Amino acid sequence: AEGKESNETYTRHADDTVKLRNTNIADMDRDILYHIALDSGIQNLPQMFGDVRFVCLGGTPKRMEKFANYIMKEIDLKLPTGATLLNISQRSYRYAMYKVGPVLCLSHGMGMPSIGILLHELFKLMYHAKCKDPVFFRLGTCGGVGIEGGNLVISQKVVDGYMQPFLDMAVLGQLHRRPAILDQELSEELSDLRMKEDPFTITQGTTMCTYDFYEGQGRLDGAFCEFTEGDKLTFLNHLHDNHIVNMEMESLTFAALCHHAGIRGAVVCVTLLNRLHGDQVAESKEVLEKWQKYPQILISRYIKKHLNIK
Ligand code: R2B
Ligand code: URA
């Protein structure tokens, strides 16, 4: 049985397909992936998804639809004239999913519980579909700690709001602690893909992942605030001194669950502001739209490189 604290790395089957750490699934004759509106009893998942190699997650349905259309151009896939990409998970009314050849693009919503549910179902999808060595990316937004808006952060480490590198979860009333470890080789490879002419910098560092956007990230502008501006700046400077370069809300669960599943994962986020200078996301819609493409540009380069597309 699983220990309460797990540290060992999990590997894949000999043929590189994804192993599941839950033998119950193999014993089920039908698995309903409820939140992405798929059903292994009705759909031929190996036929529909067996070729998936890159799974790209981001917060919103619209941004991930845009990414799907962008990556389609980049890898030179075409839809029949007049056709548009289909949201495969539309009937779930939870997450959006688009498939562009070997690239699966999904929205994960906001926060760790939301991305956690999705990752359970995606890892099972990878298993049912017999996908080989898939790599997962989170393409997100974040608040920079000492980094101005419009720049990229690639997470090397992830910590929770107490600066602990674990995902703590209650399971059957007991604390389960999973280390939040990201693939260092992958993050290194991604940061090497920056080009001189890029309009953004790339910082590799530690990401703080919180359960809240306002009080949880030390903002003064929530509906509640029980600390002073001085307290906030002491906290943010303490983070800065500990190489924490950004804050967001999903990377801890993403890192911990990918690591537990033996699936390579990377987190690339664009900063929307420098938290040392403020709390409100005040850039214009146009500027924010432009910035949100930056993680997509980098991930697209990675995908093209691995598909041998110039
Ligand atoms: C970044 O942006 C969202 C909050 O605005 C949250 O999902 C995150 O991690
Ligand atoms: N997302 C966050 O979680 N925090 C920010 O400051 C900006 C985006």
PDB file of all heavy atoms in Angstrom, residues 59 63 108-112 138 140-143 209-210 212-213 217 219 247-251 269-270 272 281, ligand 1:
ATOM      1  N   GLY A  59      -5.474  28.456 -17.803  1.00  0.00           N
ATOM      2  CA  GLY A  59      -6.651  28.765 -17.004  1.00  0.00           C
ATOM      3  C   GLY A  59      -7.967  28.816 -17.748  1.00  0.00           C
ATOM      4  O   GLY A  59      -8.941  28.192 -17.344  1.00  0.00           O
ATOM      5  N   ARG A  63      -8.477  31.264 -23.944  1.00  0.00           N
ATOM      6  CA  ARG A  63      -7.031  31.298 -24.174  1.00  0.00           C
ATOM      7  C   ARG A  63      -6.541  29.963 -24.731  1.00  0.00           C
ATOM      8  O   ARG A  63      -5.680  29.921 -25.616  1.00  0.00           O
ATOM      9  CB  ARG A  63      -6.306  31.650 -22.862  1.00  0.00           C
ATOM     10  CG  ARG A  63      -4.811  31.720 -22.987  1.00  0.00           C
ATOM     11  CD  ARG A  63      -4.146  32.685 -22.001  1.00  0.00           C
ATOM     12  NE  ARG A  63      -4.728  32.739 -20.687  1.00  0.00           N
ATOM     13  CZ  ARG A  63      -4.396  31.925 -19.668  1.00  0.00           C
ATOM     14  NH1 ARG A  63      -3.494  30.983 -19.824  1.00  0.00           N
ATOM     15  NH2 ARG A  63      -4.971  32.073 -18.491  1.00  0.00           N
ATOM     16  N   HIS A 108      -7.989  24.680 -17.306  1.00  0.00           N
ATOM     17  CA  HIS A 108      -8.018  23.996 -16.005  1.00  0.00           C
ATOM     18  C   HIS A 108      -8.752  24.781 -14.929  1.00  0.00           C
ATOM     19  O   HIS A 108      -8.833  24.335 -13.788  1.00  0.00           O
ATOM     20  CB  HIS A 108      -6.604  23.631 -15.534  1.00  0.00           C
ATOM     21  CG  HIS A 108      -5.661  24.786 -15.358  1.00  0.00           C
ATOM     22  ND1 HIS A 108      -5.934  25.877 -14.572  1.00  0.00           N
ATOM     23  CD2 HIS A 108      -4.432  25.019 -15.885  1.00  0.00           C
ATOM     24  CE1 HIS A 108      -4.918  26.716 -14.610  1.00  0.00           C
ATOM     25  NE2 HIS A 108      -3.991  26.232 -15.416  1.00  0.00           N
ATOM     26  N   GLY A 109      -9.309  25.952 -15.284  1.00  0.00           N
ATOM     27  CA  GLY A 109      -9.994  26.741 -14.261  1.00  0.00           C
ATOM     28  C   GLY A 109      -9.002  27.377 -13.304  1.00  0.00           C
ATOM     29  O   GLY A 109      -7.808  27.447 -13.579  1.00  0.00           O
ATOM     30  N   MET A 110      -9.525  27.890 -12.181  1.00  0.00           N
ATOM     31  CA  MET A 110      -8.660  28.573 -11.209  1.00  0.00           C
ATOM     32  C   MET A 110      -8.480  27.737  -9.959  1.00  0.00           C
ATOM     33  O   MET A 110      -9.446  27.251  -9.378  1.00  0.00           O
ATOM     34  CB  MET A 110      -9.275  29.917 -10.798  1.00  0.00           C
ATOM     35  CG  MET A 110      -8.965  31.034 -11.763  1.00  0.00           C
ATOM     36  SD  MET A 110      -9.389  32.624 -11.043  1.00  0.00           S
ATOM     37  CE  MET A 110     -11.145  32.572 -11.125  1.00  0.00           C
ATOM     38  N   GLY A 111      -7.237  27.603  -9.543  1.00  0.00           N
ATOM     39  CA  GLY A 111      -6.954  27.020  -8.248  1.00  0.00           C
ATOM     40  C   GLY A 111      -6.606  25.542  -8.272  1.00  0.00           C
ATOM     41  O   GLY A 111      -6.892  24.822  -9.233  1.00  0.00           O
ATOM     42  N   MET A 112      -5.987  25.107  -7.179  1.00  0.00           N
ATOM     43  CA  MET A 112      -5.476  23.737  -7.089  1.00  0.00           C
ATOM     44  C   MET A 112      -6.562  22.672  -7.143  1.00  0.00           C
ATOM     45  O   MET A 112      -6.377  21.657  -7.813  1.00  0.00           O
ATOM     46  CB  MET A 112      -4.618  23.586  -5.839  1.00  0.00           C
ATOM     47  CG  MET A 112      -3.310  24.355  -5.945  1.00  0.00           C
ATOM     48  SD  MET A 112      -2.190  23.980  -4.591  1.00  0.00           S
ATOM     49  CE  MET A 112      -2.316  25.478  -3.640  1.00  0.00           C
ATOM     50  N   ARG A 138       1.876  23.585 -17.992  1.00  0.00           N
ATOM     51  CA  ARG A 138       0.915  24.610 -17.599  1.00  0.00           C
ATOM     52  C   ARG A 138       1.413  25.919 -18.166  1.00  0.00           C
ATOM     53  O   ARG A 138       2.546  26.341 -17.910  1.00  0.00           O
ATOM     54  CB  ARG A 138       0.784  24.703 -16.073  1.00  0.00           C
ATOM     55  CG  ARG A 138       0.145  26.014 -15.624  1.00  0.00           C
ATOM     56  CD  ARG A 138      -0.347  26.032 -14.213  1.00  0.00           C
ATOM     57  NE  ARG A 138      -0.232  27.337 -13.599  1.00  0.00           N
ATOM     58  CZ  ARG A 138      -0.982  28.411 -13.902  1.00  0.00           C
ATOM     59  NH1 ARG A 138      -1.921  28.325 -14.831  1.00  0.00           N
ATOM     60  NH2 ARG A 138      -0.794  29.567 -13.304  1.00  0.00           N
ATOM     61  N   GLY A 140       0.574  29.617 -17.885  1.00  0.00           N
ATOM     62  CA  GLY A 140      -0.273  30.398 -17.001  1.00  0.00           C
ATOM     63  C   GLY A 140       0.083  31.866 -16.915  1.00  0.00           C
ATOM     64  O   GLY A 140       0.953  32.374 -17.618  1.00  0.00           O
ATOM     65  N   THR A 141      -0.649  32.508 -16.005  1.00  0.00           N
ATOM     66  CA  THR A 141      -0.342  33.890 -15.636  1.00  0.00           C
ATOM     67  C   THR A 141       0.052  33.889 -14.162  1.00  0.00           C
ATOM     68  O   THR A 141      -0.263  32.944 -13.427  1.00  0.00           O
ATOM     69  CB  THR A 141      -1.555  34.811 -15.837  1.00  0.00           C
ATOM     70  OG1 THR A 141      -2.630  34.340 -15.015  1.00  0.00           O
ATOM     71  CG2 THR A 141      -2.006  34.841 -17.290  1.00  0.00           C
ATOM     72  N   CYS A 142       0.731  34.934 -13.740  1.00  0.00           N
ATOM     73  CA  CYS A 142       1.190  34.982 -12.356  1.00  0.00           C
ATOM     74  C   CYS A 142       1.500  36.416 -11.959  1.00  0.00           C
ATOM     75  O   CYS A 142       1.521  37.312 -12.804  1.00  0.00           O
ATOM     76  CB  CYS A 142       2.447  34.112 -12.186  1.00  0.00           C
ATOM     77  SG  CYS A 142       3.880  34.738 -13.086  1.00  0.00           S
ATOM     78  N   GLY A 143       1.744  36.612 -10.686  1.00  0.00           N
ATOM     79  CA  GLY A 143       2.268  37.877 -10.203  1.00  0.00           C
ATOM     80  C   GLY A 143       3.771  37.719 -10.031  1.00  0.00           C
ATOM     81  O   GLY A 143       4.229  36.746  -9.435  1.00  0.00           O
ATOM     82  N   CYS A 209       2.744  28.862  -4.659  1.00  0.00           N
ATOM     83  CA  CYS A 209       1.396  28.523  -5.101  1.00  0.00           C
ATOM     84  C   CYS A 209       0.455  28.664  -3.914  1.00  0.00           C
ATOM     85  O   CYS A 209       0.701  28.094  -2.854  1.00  0.00           O
ATOM     86  CB  CYS A 209       1.398  27.092  -5.631  1.00  0.00           C
ATOM     87  SG  CYS A 209      -0.169  26.569  -6.305  1.00  0.00           S
ATOM     88  N   THR A 210      -0.596  29.452  -4.077  1.00  0.00           N
ATOM     89  CA  THR A 210      -1.482  29.756  -2.945  1.00  0.00           C
ATOM     90  C   THR A 210      -2.921  29.300  -3.232  1.00  0.00           C
ATOM     91  O   THR A 210      -3.289  29.043  -4.379  1.00  0.00           O
ATOM     92  CB  THR A 210      -1.512  31.276  -2.677  1.00  0.00           C
ATOM     93  OG1 THR A 210      -2.144  31.916  -3.792  1.00  0.00           O
ATOM     94  CG2 THR A 210      -0.109  31.835  -2.503  1.00  0.00           C
ATOM     95  N   ASP A 212      -5.421  31.270  -2.553  1.00  0.00           N
ATOM     96  CA  ASP A 212      -6.234  32.468  -2.729  1.00  0.00           C
ATOM     97  C   ASP A 212      -5.430  33.520  -3.474  1.00  0.00           C
ATOM     98  O   ASP A 212      -4.199  33.571  -3.388  1.00  0.00           O
ATOM     99  CB  ASP A 212      -6.671  33.008  -1.351  1.00  0.00           C
ATOM    100  CG  ASP A 212      -7.400  34.331  -1.467  1.00  0.00           C
ATOM    101  OD1 ASP A 212      -8.311  34.433  -2.313  1.00  0.00           O
ATOM    102  OD2 ASP A 212      -7.037  35.281  -0.737  1.00  0.00           O
ATOM    103  N   PHE A 213      -6.130  34.348  -4.227  1.00  0.00           N
ATOM    104  CA  PHE A 213      -5.519  35.423  -5.012  1.00  0.00           C
ATOM    105  C   PHE A 213      -5.279  36.658  -4.149  1.00  0.00           C
ATOM    106  O   PHE A 213      -4.293  37.374  -4.347  1.00  0.00           O
ATOM    107  CB  PHE A 213      -6.472  35.760  -6.161  1.00  0.00           C
ATOM    108  CG  PHE A 213      -6.007  36.842  -7.112  1.00  0.00           C
ATOM    109  CD1 PHE A 213      -5.127  36.551  -8.151  1.00  0.00           C
ATOM    110  CD2 PHE A 213      -6.482  38.132  -6.984  1.00  0.00           C
ATOM    111  CE1 PHE A 213      -4.726  37.539  -9.051  1.00  0.00           C
ATOM    112  CE2 PHE A 213      -6.084  39.131  -7.879  1.00  0.00           C
ATOM    113  CZ  PHE A 213      -5.200  38.832  -8.917  1.00  0.00           C
ATOM    114  N   GLN A 217      -2.172  35.864  -1.291  1.00  0.00           N
ATOM    115  CA  GLN A 217      -0.984  36.381  -1.970  1.00  0.00           C
ATOM    116  C   GLN A 217      -0.552  37.734  -1.386  1.00  0.00           C
ATOM    117  O   GLN A 217       0.190  38.475  -2.010  1.00  0.00           O
ATOM    118  CB  GLN A 217      -1.225  36.470  -3.489  1.00  0.00           C
ATOM    119  CG  GLN A 217      -1.398  35.086  -4.125  1.00  0.00           C
ATOM    120  CD  GLN A 217      -1.522  35.100  -5.641  1.00  0.00           C
ATOM    121  OE1 GLN A 217      -1.412  36.141  -6.290  1.00  0.00           O
ATOM    122  NE2 GLN A 217      -1.748  33.926  -6.210  1.00  0.00           N
ATOM    123  N   ARG A 219      -2.315  40.467  -0.768  1.00  0.00           N
ATOM    124  CA  ARG A 219      -2.843  41.684  -1.381  1.00  0.00           C
ATOM    125  C   ARG A 219      -3.560  42.543  -0.347  1.00  0.00           C
ATOM    126  O   ARG A 219      -4.217  42.030   0.570  1.00  0.00           O
ATOM    127  CB  ARG A 219      -3.796  41.333  -2.523  1.00  0.00           C
ATOM    128  CG  ARG A 219      -3.103  40.936  -3.809  1.00  0.00           C
ATOM    129  CD  ARG A 219      -4.111  40.715  -4.936  1.00  0.00           C
ATOM    130  NE  ARG A 219      -3.493  40.886  -6.247  1.00  0.00           N
ATOM    131  CZ  ARG A 219      -2.774  39.957  -6.855  1.00  0.00           C
ATOM    132  NH1 ARG A 219      -2.596  38.785  -6.278  1.00  0.00           N
ATOM    133  NH2 ARG A 219      -2.234  40.198  -8.038  1.00  0.00           N
ATOM    134  N   MET A 247       4.078  34.245  -8.008  1.00  0.00           N
ATOM    135  CA  MET A 247       2.992  33.618  -7.257  1.00  0.00           C
ATOM    136  C   MET A 247       1.836  33.313  -8.193  1.00  0.00           C
ATOM    137  O   MET A 247       1.459  34.156  -9.013  1.00  0.00           O
ATOM    138  CB  MET A 247       2.475  34.579  -6.175  1.00  0.00           C
ATOM    139  CG  MET A 247       3.506  34.910  -5.140  1.00  0.00           C
ATOM    140  SD  MET A 247       2.943  36.279  -4.117  1.00  0.00           S
ATOM    141  CE  MET A 247       2.399  35.366  -2.713  1.00  0.00           C
ATOM    142  N   GLU A 248       1.313  32.108  -8.060  1.00  0.00           N
ATOM    143  CA  GLU A 248       0.123  31.727  -8.820  1.00  0.00           C
ATOM    144  C   GLU A 248      -0.624  30.660  -8.024  1.00  0.00           C
ATOM    145  O   GLU A 248      -0.360  30.515  -6.829  1.00  0.00           O
ATOM    146  CB  GLU A 248       0.463  31.331 -10.261  1.00  0.00           C
ATOM    147  CG  GLU A 248       1.596  30.351 -10.430  1.00  0.00           C
ATOM    148  CD  GLU A 248       1.182  28.951 -10.118  1.00  0.00           C
ATOM    149  OE1 GLU A 248       0.726  28.231 -11.025  1.00  0.00           O
ATOM    150  OE2 GLU A 248       1.358  28.540  -8.947  1.00  0.00           O
ATOM    151  N   MET A 249      -1.549  29.937  -8.664  1.00  0.00           N
ATOM    152  CA  MET A 249      -2.489  29.152  -7.874  1.00  0.00           C
ATOM    153  C   MET A 249      -2.683  27.692  -8.272  1.00  0.00           C
ATOM    154  O   MET A 249      -3.606  27.040  -7.783  1.00  0.00           O
ATOM    155  CB  MET A 249      -3.856  29.865  -7.870  1.00  0.00           C
ATOM    156  CG  MET A 249      -3.786  31.263  -7.278  1.00  0.00           C
ATOM    157  SD  MET A 249      -5.357  32.128  -7.334  1.00  0.00           S
ATOM    158  CE  MET A 249      -6.385  31.017  -6.383  1.00  0.00           C
ATOM    159  N   GLU A 250      -1.857  27.169  -9.171  1.00  0.00           N
ATOM    160  CA  GLU A 250      -2.031  25.776  -9.595  1.00  0.00           C
ATOM    161  C   GLU A 250      -0.768  24.934  -9.593  1.00  0.00           C
ATOM    162  O   GLU A 250      -0.826  23.702  -9.631  1.00  0.00           O
ATOM    163  CB  GLU A 250      -2.640  25.696 -11.013  1.00  0.00           C
ATOM    164  CG  GLU A 250      -4.065  26.197 -11.133  1.00  0.00           C
ATOM    165  CD  GLU A 250      -4.130  27.702 -11.283  1.00  0.00           C
ATOM    166  OE1 GLU A 250      -3.087  28.321 -11.597  1.00  0.00           O
ATOM    167  OE2 GLU A 250      -5.221  28.281 -11.066  1.00  0.00           O
ATOM    168  N   SER A 251       0.414  25.567  -9.568  1.00  0.00           N
ATOM    169  CA  SER A 251       1.650  24.820  -9.835  1.00  0.00           C
ATOM    170  C   SER A 251       1.956  23.732  -8.806  1.00  0.00           C
ATOM    171  O   SER A 251       2.576  22.724  -9.137  1.00  0.00           O
ATOM    172  CB  SER A 251       2.835  25.786  -9.918  1.00  0.00           C
ATOM    173  OG  SER A 251       2.940  26.514  -8.712  1.00  0.00           O
ATOM    174  N   CYS A 269       4.855  30.596 -16.811  1.00  0.00           N
ATOM    175  CA  CYS A 269       3.845  31.633 -16.561  1.00  0.00           C
ATOM    176  C   CYS A 269       4.364  32.997 -16.985  1.00  0.00           C
ATOM    177  O   CYS A 269       5.552  33.298 -16.854  1.00  0.00           O
ATOM    178  CB  CYS A 269       3.515  31.696 -15.070  1.00  0.00           C
ATOM    179  SG  CYS A 269       2.607  30.263 -14.469  1.00  0.00           S
ATOM    180  N   VAL A 270       3.438  33.828 -17.450  1.00  0.00           N
ATOM    181  CA  VAL A 270       3.788  35.211 -17.749  1.00  0.00           C
ATOM    182  C   VAL A 270       3.370  36.081 -16.559  1.00  0.00           C
ATOM    183  O   VAL A 270       2.284  35.882 -15.992  1.00  0.00           O
ATOM    184  CB  VAL A 270       3.148  35.691 -19.078  1.00  0.00           C
ATOM    185  CG1 VAL A 270       1.624  35.729 -19.003  1.00  0.00           C
ATOM    186  CG2 VAL A 270       3.686  37.059 -19.470  1.00  0.00           C
ATOM    187  N   LEU A 272       1.895  39.284 -14.786  1.00  0.00           N
ATOM    188  CA  LEU A 272       0.948  40.344 -15.156  1.00  0.00           C
ATOM    189  C   LEU A 272       1.278  41.652 -14.449  1.00  0.00           C
ATOM    190  O   LEU A 272       0.752  42.707 -14.800  1.00  0.00           O
ATOM    191  CB  LEU A 272      -0.490  39.918 -14.826  1.00  0.00           C
ATOM    192  CG  LEU A 272      -0.998  38.640 -15.503  1.00  0.00           C
ATOM    193  CD1 LEU A 272      -2.469  38.422 -15.177  1.00  0.00           C
ATOM    194  CD2 LEU A 272      -0.797  38.692 -17.012  1.00  0.00           C
ATOM    195  N   VAL A 281      -4.284  44.234 -11.116  1.00  0.00           N
ATOM    196  CA  VAL A 281      -3.906  43.922 -12.489  1.00  0.00           C
ATOM    197  C   VAL A 281      -4.503  45.038 -13.342  1.00  0.00           C
ATOM    198  O   VAL A 281      -5.694  45.049 -13.633  1.00  0.00           O
ATOM    199  CB  VAL A 281      -4.434  42.530 -12.913  1.00  0.00           C
ATOM    200  CG1 VAL A 281      -4.077  42.228 -14.356  1.00  0.00           C
ATOM    201  CG2 VAL A 281      -3.881  41.442 -11.986  1.00  0.00           C
TER     202      VAL A 281
HETATM  203  C1  R2B B   1      -3.171  32.802 -12.193  1.00  0.00           C
HETATM  204  O1  R2B B   1      -4.203  33.580 -12.518  1.00  0.00           O
HETATM  205  C2  R2B B   1      -5.386  33.124 -11.827  1.00  0.00           C
HETATM  206  C3  R2B B   1      -5.816  34.158 -10.836  1.00  0.00           C
HETATM  207  O2  R2B B   1      -6.072  35.381 -11.458  1.00  0.00           O
HETATM  208  C4  R2B B   1      -4.985  31.818 -11.209  1.00  0.00           C
HETATM  209  O3  R2B B   1      -5.601  30.731 -11.849  1.00  0.00           O
HETATM  210  C5  R2B B   1      -3.554  31.749 -11.439  1.00  0.00           C
HETATM  211  O4  R2B B   1      -2.805  30.739 -11.048  1.00  0.00           O
END
